[in-house]
Amino acid sequence: MRPEAPDLFLIDVQPDQADAVRALLRTVSPGAEPVLIPVLRARITAIRGSETELDSYDAVRSRGGGLGREYVVTYRPGLADNERLVAGQFWPSSPPVGAQVSIEEGLAERQRLKVGDAMRFDILGRTFEATIASIRAVDWADAREGGFMFVFRPGVLESAPATYISPVKGPPAAAARARFQRDLTARFPNVSVIDVREILAGVTRVLRNVSLAITIVGSLVLL
């Protein structure tokens, strides 16, 4: 993990809890503005492109490569620090009528998608079509602002019922981390906390035990 990488992720923050969660996070990291990212779940139901033509959700699912799965999407006015523009504009100063979306570079290459192609999405039963305005390269190792396959131009999804996620650099001390998580869940019982540091510590313990077992077995075989 990078030294500045977040090691706690808050999941399922409701819109009416956003301000209170921000206030709590400011007490954990004074001087750092908390990041709350709006997220929704979406499915691709059709693609109209210069190289790819899928006219139904069944056709999308049969394409393979995970294209028919459910994606977590967001919307924002600018590029994140872990993104770089590869093609198109984020966002055009004179946008066309209708929704616009920016897609991740790897997905665009695998599915042969280009700027100007159209994709139809289903978000909570609402179906709409969006034009690909840009293609982004995402540094997945930098999780300070999350990573998304699809980012929409603001003005389309604000009315949809979204929740928020928040990547946080938690306190380094175990007692302080536990106290923060306890205070958070006491005030916001619906919010889930994923402790990446604890997960990595658990994985490290398992790998050490596996390495020890292999060493013992190998030594016995050699003996």
Side-chain angles (χ1 to χ4, degrees):
M1 291 179 64
R2 297 179 180 180
E4 73 280 4
D7 50 17
L8 291 173
F9 288 85
L10 314 187
I11 309 296
D12 201 27
V13 179
Q14 299 300 310
D16 60 351
Q17 298 173 324
D19 291 339
V21 170
R22 286 191 183 95
L24 179 61
L25 294 180
R26 290 189 183 101
T27 65
V28 178
S29 302
E33 184 60 26
V35 176
L36 267 71
I37 306 170
V39 294
L40 305 97
R41 292 190 172 275
R43 290 189 184 276
I44 304 167
T45 59
I47 295 175
R48 292 190 298 105
S50 57
E51 298 184 35
T52 301
E53 190 77 24
L54 304 171
D55 58 2
S56 68
Y57 179 59
D58 290 338
V60 172
R61 290 188 62 184
S62 64
R63 178 65 179 264
L67 193 63
R69 70 177 176 87
E70 196 173 51
Y71 289 90
V72 176
V73 303
T74 190
Y75 55 88
R76 49 180 149 79
L79 287 169
D81 292 338
N82 63 341
E83 297 176 334
R84 176 176 53 86
L85 196 63
V86 175
Q89 295 178 281
F90 195 104
W91 301 99
S93 54
S94 299
V97 177
Q100 289 185 301
V101 65
S102 176
I103 67 174
E104 189 267 337
E105 180 183 30
L107 179 69
E109 292 175 350
R110 290 192 300 273
Q111 305 300 334
R112 298 185 299 172
L113 298 173
K114 309 290 184 183
V115 172
D117 290 352
M119 307 183 72
R120 190 167 69 230
F121 293 87
D122 184 318
I123 296 181
L124 299 174
R126 176 189 173 191
T127 302
F128 64 94
E129 193 169 276
T131 303
I132 299 176
S134 63
I135 298 174
R136 297 163 294 114
V138 180
D139 181 3
W140 299 105
D142 184 351
R144 286 174 293 176
E145 296 190 61
F148 295 89
M149 292 289 192
F150 300 98
V151 177
F152 286 85
R153 184 183 183 120
V156 177
L157 301 180
E158 284 84 345
S159 60
T163 60
Y164 291 87
I165 62 173
S166 180
V168 180
K169 181 66 175 178
R177 292 175 72 84
R179 184 167 56 252
F180 165 70
Q181 295 185 54
R182 184 178 63 249
D183 294 344
L184 179 75
T185 54
R187 293 182 58 184
F188 312 103
N190 60 289
V191 176
S192 300
V193 182
I194 299 176
D195 191 335
V196 178
R197 186 185 295 269
E198 183 179 343
I199 293 172
L200 290 179
V203 171
T204 301
R205 287 193 297 269
V206 171
L207 291 177
R208 284 175 178 167
N209 291 337
V210 171
S211 298
L212 178 61
I214 292 174
T215 300
I216 293 174
V217 172
S219 300
L220 290 174
V221 169
L222 288 175
L223 181 61

